Amino acid sequence: MRSRTLVPTLGAFLEGEEAAHSSAPPDWIHLLTGLARAGTRIARVVARTGLTGTLPRTGDRNIHGEAATRIDQYAHNAVVEEVAADEMLCCIISEEAEDHMSIPSSHPDGGCILALDPLDGSSNLGVNVPVGTIFSLLPRARPDATDCGSDDETGCRSDDAPGSALAPSEILRPGRDQIAAGYILYGAATVLVYTSGRGVHGFIRDPESGEFLLNRRDMRIPSPSALHYSTNEAYTRRWDPRQHDLVRHFKRPPPKGAKGFSARYIGSLVADIHRTLLVGGLFMYPAFRGKPEGKLRLMYEAAPMALIMEQAGGRATNGTEDILDLRPRDIHQRTPLFAGARELVDLAACHLGREATDSE
Ligand code: AHM
Ligand code: MG
């Protein structure tokens, strides 16, 4: 009988390679472990939605102590419960909460911000389409000269005076400042992908042991990448002519002997981005008439995916500017997103930055 190769668990990988090489604060390992625990709880509930509908069956309570009624509220609560005691956090920004949530609520004093979409794409659950949790870890803004707080070498502010309230300028950080980012995909398998700025690593949850096992170390978008474009073409009638030009370009007959483009769109961001990361292509959620900033949220959807893409050799823009360079005005701000293989994102930027040839 062949002996089984020893595959590192998430815990072993974090304690070993991540602890040795990452520049993220040491508490990050604890935080990611909490996120993985939340992912395990969410995966279980997601897997039962065919039986229970999108409502968890028993007794879950939201942050206000009310009975949760929606699965995305359940997911929000699960993450908050698993990470809220983390001393590195000063607040959580969640798609499920209107304002940021201070941690601890009475006197936020951690140095980092967790931005979160607890369960993206949950409207797909009724038809058994994969959904996901997206997370981004940011340092709280550095104090100015009049402030007595200090930063450690990781950028996380560490000795803030208890009792201070969080100002918007402390938490509205550009994606370029992210310490770490990632997602958990609830599909045929539950997959956790993260970066802390030194490559992208993927783990798959073994349903038997319950452990996340290292599945892909240092993920790279393949080059040449798959010629997939991915967008919701039902909005064509509301597109800018330059977006039309771009998609028309993808539909042109390829040169003799070359492969042409094909379309892929799941309509679930984590699944679309995961496919793009694994095989390449270009994911697009553009702005269009009626949605001048697109649909996706900058801080907890676009920015973490952009960091993953860049760390895997790809790129992400809002059409013209790198997503990671955008400074949010608001925690729930939206942005157009073009993400994927670098040459295809560059091609999109080139089309979107010039005069349209004609309109439809
Ligand atoms: P949600 O945050 O309300 O779940 O919506 C986000 C989802 C993404 O997963 C996906 O990329 C997008 O909505 C699809 O939108 P559309 O149906 O307009 O194509
Ligand atoms: Mg979402």
Side-chain angles (χ1 to χ4, degrees), residues 72 95 117 119-124 232 235 265 267-270 272 283 285 288 291 295-297 301:
D72 17 22
E95 185 175 277
D117 187 346
L119 196 60
D120 183 72
S122 56
S123 61
N124 289 303
N232 188 338
Y235 303 132
Y265 188 68
S268 185
L269 181 66
V270 182
D272 277 314
F283 172 84
Y285 203 111
F288 50 82
K291 280 200 199 299
K295 176 181 185 186
L296 302 173
R297 312 289 185 151
E301 292 178 332

Side-chain angles (χ1 to χ4, degrees), residues 23-47:
S23 52
D27 286 357
W28 147 245
I29 289 175
H30 190 245
L31 182 77
L32 184 56
T33 308
L35 289 166
R37 268 198 315 273
T40 297
R41 289 172 57 184
I42 297 166
R44 216 172 280 137
V45 174
V46 163

Side-chain angles (χ1 to χ4, degrees), residues 65-266:
E66 302 153 349
T69 53
R70 298 162 54 226
I71 192 167
D72 17 22
Q73 189 64 51
Y74 173 87
H76 167 95
N77 292 349
V79 178
V80 171
E81 283 160 19
E82 295 295 349
V83 305
D86 230 294
E87 289 178 359
M88 77 186 302
L89 296 180
C90 64
C91 74
I92 294 177
I93 291 168
S94 165
E95 185 175 277
E96 293 303 314
E98 198 177 329
D99 206 351
H100 69 266
M101 300 162 54
S102 292
I103 293 183
S105 53
S106 50
H107 53 89
D109 55 5
C112 295
I113 299 146
L114 180 68
L116 182 71
D117 187 346
L119 196 60
D120 183 72
S122 56
S123 61
N124 289 303
L125 277 175
V127 289
N128 211 9
V129 164
V131 295
T133 297
I134 311 169
F135 55 89
S136 160
L137 184 68
L138 288 152
R140 188 176 178 177
R142 288 170 183 277
D144 60 28
T146 59
D147 199 313
C148 59
S150 73
D151 291 318
D152 60 22
E153 69 282 2
T154 64
C156 268
R157 191 176 166 187
S158 56
D159 60 349
D160 197 41
S164 62
L166 293 167
S169 60
E170 288 181 272
I171 56 180
L172 296 173
R173 306 296 307 260
R176 187 73 65 198
D177 290 353
Q178 287 172 104
I179 296 164
Y183 58 79
I184 304 171
L185 174 64
Y186 312 106
T190 300
V191 167
L192 184 153
V193 171
Y194 85 90
T195 180
S196 58
R198 297 199 178 210
V200 180
H201 308 297
F203 298 79
I204 192 158
R205 187 172 175 276
D206 173 7
E208 279 177 28
S209 67
E211 295 276 7
F212 282 95
L213 302 176
L214 181 64
N215 170 241
R216 294 172 189 271
R217 186 196 298 264
D218 205 7
M219 299 168 79
R220 307 293 295 170
I221 297 188
S223 179
S225 111
L227 295 178
H228 291 160
Y229 74 90
S230 179
T231 196
N232 188 338
E233 282 198 83
Y235 303 132
T236 305
R237 67 191 184 286
R238 290 151 70 187
W239 280 355
D240 181 285
R242 286 164 298 190
Q243 181 69 30
H244 277 288
D245 267 358
L246 175 61
V247 172
R248 240 190 324 260
H249 172 88
F250 295 142
K251 291 179 175 175
R252 275 194 208 136
K256 206 163 176 240
K259 269 184 92 177
F261 276 83
S262 183
R264 297 281 188 281
Y265 188 68
I266 300 169

Side-chain angles (χ1 to χ4, degrees), residues 334-347:
R334 299 174 195 271
T335 179
L337 176 63
F338 296 77
R342 184 164 281 273
E343 65 275 15
L344 296 180
V345 179
D346 291 349
L347 178 78

